[in-house]
Amino acid sequence: MTAITVNPVLRVPPAAPAEAAAHFRAGLAFHTDVSDVAAALAAGGDPGFVVVDSRSTEAWDQGHVPGAVHLPTALVREQAAHLLDRSVPVVTYCWGPGCNGAARAALALAELGYPVKEMLGGFEYWVREGLEFETWQGRERRAPDPLAAPADAGDCGC
C-alpha cells in the first residue's frame, strides 16, 4: 500500500469560498495598510479618520506620520477622551510588524467605544515605502525600499 503524500500547503484544505470571504472581509474591518492610509491622507480634505502613533515619546521624536496624534499605548485609557472624538474612526500604528503596540492601543480604544483599525506595517513600512515623515527637526523622506514598494510605480496595484 502506498501512502498518499499531501504537501504542507494543502495538509489542511482551504476554507469554503463563503467562509474565506467572511474571514477576509472581517480582517479588512480591523486592518488597513500604509499605502491606503497614505493615499487617503494625500487626497486632501478630511480623510474621515485620525491617525494615532502609539509609541513612546522617544520613538515619536525619531519620526512619525505627518498629522498623527501622539498617544502612547500605556496612556490610551487616561488621555484618549482629551485627544480624540469618539465619532471619528481611529487608525493606530506602532513600530512595525514585529510590534503589537498598535493592536494593544486599538484594543484599548475599542473598549473605550472608539471605532478603530490597525495600520499594518507601522512606522517601519511608512518609511520603507518612501513616504514623508516628521521629526522634531522637520520633514524627511527616504528612498523607497524595493522590497517594500515598487521601484518605478506609484503604487503596488493591490
Side-chain angles (χ1 to χ4, degrees):
M1 187 183 264
T2 305
I4 298 174
T5 304
V6 178
N7 73 51
V9 172
L10 299 176
R11 189 172 294 136
V12 174
E19 290 177 274
H23 169 81
F24 293 115
R25 185 176 297 105
L28 292 171
F30 300 112
H31 299 108
T32 187
D33 66 22
V34 167
S35 295
D36 289 346
V37 171
L41 295 175
D46 180 2
F49 61 87
V50 62
V51 178
V52 167
D53 184 315
S54 64
R55 300 172 304 146
S56 68
T57 298
E58 294 79 13
W60 168 267
D61 288 346
Q62 230 175 290
H64 53 272
V65 172
V69 172
H70 184 220
L71 180 56
T73 300
L75 302 176
V76 168
R77 294 186 189 286
E78 171 186 326
Q79 296 182 1
H82 304 294
L83 298 172
L84 303 171
D85 179 340
R86 271 191 176 72
S87 68
V88 177
V90 177
V91 173
T92 63
Y93 75 89
C94 200
W95 272 114
C99 177
N100 68 1
R104 287 185 286 113
L107 171 60
L109 288 164
E111 290 175 343
L112 292 171
Y114 292 86
V116 63
K117 287 187 173 198
E118 177 186 7
M119 183 176 79
L120 299 175
F123 185 67
E124 175 188 351
Y125 276 75
W126 187 270
V127 174
R128 288 182 75 187
E129 289 192 17
L131 299 167
E132 188 175 67
F133 60 95
E134 292 180 323
T135 71
W136 61 272
Q137 296 173 318
R139 291 195 174 208
E140 295 182 34
R141 181 179 299 234
R142 296 185 183 162
D145 178 340
L147 295 176
D152 297 323
D155 63 38
C156 66
C158 307

